[in-house]
Amino acid sequence: MSFDVFRTVNGWSGRPNAPRTSLFINKMVHVDASQTIDLENVPLNGGILVKTLVVSVDPYMQGKMRDASIESYSSYNYGVARVLRSENPNIKVGDHVTGMIKFQEYFVINDFSKVQVLTKTEPSLPWSVYVGAAGMPGRTAYFAYKEFAKAKKGDTIFVSTGAGAVGSMVIQLAKLDGLKVIGSAGSDAKVQFMKEIGADVAFNYKTTDTLEVLKKEGPLDVYWDNVGGSTLDAAIESMKDFGRIIVCGMISSYNDAKGQTYKNLWQIFARSLSINGFLEWFLAPKWTDEFYRVVPQKLASGEIKYKEEITKGLEGAGEAIRKIQMGENLGKSVIVVANE
């Protein structure tokens, strides 16, 4: 009987209402390397035993954080794992599953509502891409852009956080449709990346006034919002009549206990603007099949580009989470836990 020692991230904690510069504490993530598992004999009880290959790190994960005074809990996110043993007749050994995967090297899955078998349609793409541009962030961009943008050739779209995993996909989808694209990000390196993927106007919002750019380059038909706050307010002021605003996230507000002040909300009715918020899985039934027919092939051919920031091993999970919450990552943040 052989027992394998494995690593697991037991949880993370933070102070959601603290300033972003002091959001994370030294012991935010605890990596436990003391547990053992008998890979050959651990009971499955109708489930599957999997080996985690990759897990995603995303901005929304801050919503899972607890105050540092509260005991931590097991962590999970979108990922890909390989099946080592199976008592599920619909899933066989060697299959790959995607969905909510634990930050843990091995574990048993009994709840199949949050995972599904994943077939790699483009062999040249690494599994890391299937939690990025060909995974949840890519689906988020594709589903909502197709559903809400109502884009026409010649329209102008502004994408905040345009160098991120979601924003960079939106930029490229818009360019494929013939739109003028304005993108913002928080560093010169990210501005350069937006230019490389086709943004017509790319700027660093930390050194350039957003409203001035939008007044010069707008008005806007579509605004893709990843940040909220003053950027959203500037976009509302810069919209055309009947413009469309797609709210994907509001990371500028996540750490702000006092909330944001908006000056231009009245223009929503004055200009007959439409605002749609969404969650990716609400749109999945309509757009998933099309996404997997279209996007992986375009990624493999290079027609759609992607950038990754790879962390090797669960030991780096804490730093990866910190960087994405502080906006320091460049490219989709992925933890590669293991090879096949």
Side-chain angles (χ1 to χ4, degrees):
M1 182 181 295
S2 64
F3 289 85
D4 285 71
V5 177
F6 67 92
R7 296 172 180 82
T8 179
V9 175
N10 279 343
W12 48 67
S13 58
R15 293 179 290 162
N17 295 329
R20 300 191 71 197
T21 53
S22 61
L23 173 63
F24 296 98
I25 63 173
N26 290 336
K27 295 182 179 179
M28 181 189 70
V29 171
H30 172 59
V31 180
D32 181 359
S34 66
Q35 300 184 50
T36 61
I37 186 170
D38 182 351
L39 297 178
E40 297 177 359
N41 298 299
V42 61
L44 302 185
N45 300 314
I48 59 176
L49 171 67
V50 300
K51 176 183 181 180
T52 301
L53 302 182
V54 296
V55 284
S56 177
V57 179
D58 299 290
Y60 89 93
M61 291 168 66
Q62 186 180 324
K64 298 180 180 181
M65 291 179 180
R66 298 178 177 180
D67 187 271
S69 64
I70 301 175
E71 185 178 355
S72 61
Y73 57 99
S74 183
S75 309
Y76 59 89
N77 196 24
Y78 292 93
V80 176
R82 181 167 62 87
V83 179
L84 302 181
R85 293 169 49 209
S86 175
E87 293 181 354
N88 183 316
N90 298 315
I91 302 176
K92 63 181 185 296
V93 173
D95 280 348
H96 292 82
V97 293
T98 187
M100 285 294 136
I101 301 298
K102 288 186 177 181
F103 280 55
Q104 187 166 305
E105 291 176 328
Y106 302 97
F107 66 101
V108 174
I109 298 175
N110 296 105
D111 180 2
F112 297 100
S113 67
K114 296 182 179 180
V115 296
Q116 63 186 38
V117 174
L118 174 65
T119 300
K120 184 186 281 191
T121 57
E122 295 293 336
S124 65
L125 295 177
W127 286 119
S128 57
V129 179
Y130 285 86
V131 297
M136 185 275 289
R139 294 194 304 268
T140 297
Y142 192 91
F143 293 177
Y145 176 82
K146 293 293 184 179
E147 182 75 17
F148 301 123
K150 299 178 174 61
K152 305 184 297 297
K153 185 176 181 179
D155 281 356
T156 298
I157 184 173
F158 170 41
V159 183
S160 57
T161 318
V166 174
S168 60
M169 177 66 76
V170 175
I171 285 175
Q172 293 178 87
L173 293 173
K175 289 307 299 179
L176 288 173
D177 282 345
L179 276 67
K180 175 182 177 179
V181 177
I182 306 167
S184 68
S187 74
D188 292 342
K190 293 179 179 182
V191 169
Q192 180 58 37
F193 176 58
M194 289 189 292
K195 292 178 179 178
E196 292 171 2
I197 60 175
D200 299 282
V201 179
F203 68 95
N204 183 340
Y205 71 87
K206 294 180 180 179
T207 59
T208 306
D209 185 270
T210 298
L211 184 58
E212 288 185 5
V213 174
L214 298 183
K215 285 182 175 179
K216 178 182 177 182
E217 302 293 345
L220 307 176
D221 297 280
V222 184
Y223 171 49
W224 182 283
D225 186 27
N226 283 314
V227 297
S230 61
T231 304
L232 173 58
D233 210 41
I236 292 173
E237 185 172 336
S238 306
M239 300 298 295
K240 291 181 182 178
D241 291 348
F242 306 103
R244 286 85 67 195
I245 297 173
I246 305 169
V247 180
C248 180
M250 290 194 173
I251 197 167
S252 71
S253 303
Y254 296 160
N255 303 318
D256 188 348
K258 296 181 180 180
Q260 302 276 341
T261 299
Y262 293 90
K263 299 182 297 182
N264 293 307
L265 293 182
W266 64 274
Q267 297 197 45
I268 296 171
F269 67 83
R271 297 186 179 183
S272 296
L273 305 180
S274 62
I275 300 179
N276 289 100
F278 70 98
L279 294 174
E280 175 260 343
W281 54 83
F282 291 164
L283 299 174
K286 181 175 181 179
W287 295 105
T288 296
D289 288 346
E290 179 178 310
F291 174 84
Y292 282 109
R293 284 198 309 269
V294 172
V295 173
Q297 186 276 328
K298 290 185 181 296
L299 292 167
S301 69
E303 187 175 359
I304 295 179
K305 298 177 175 60
Y306 64 93
K307 186 183 289 289
E308 296 180 311
E309 184 167 289
I310 299 294
T311 299
K312 294 185 178 180
L314 291 174
E315 295 85 352
E319 176 63 6
I321 295 168
R322 185 198 69 79
K323 288 182 69 176
I324 201 165
Q325 294 296 332
M326 300 299 291
E328 296 174 5
N329 63 300
L330 179 56
K332 176 70 191 80
S333 181
V334 181
I335 299 173
V336 176
V337 181
N339 297 317
E340 289 284 343

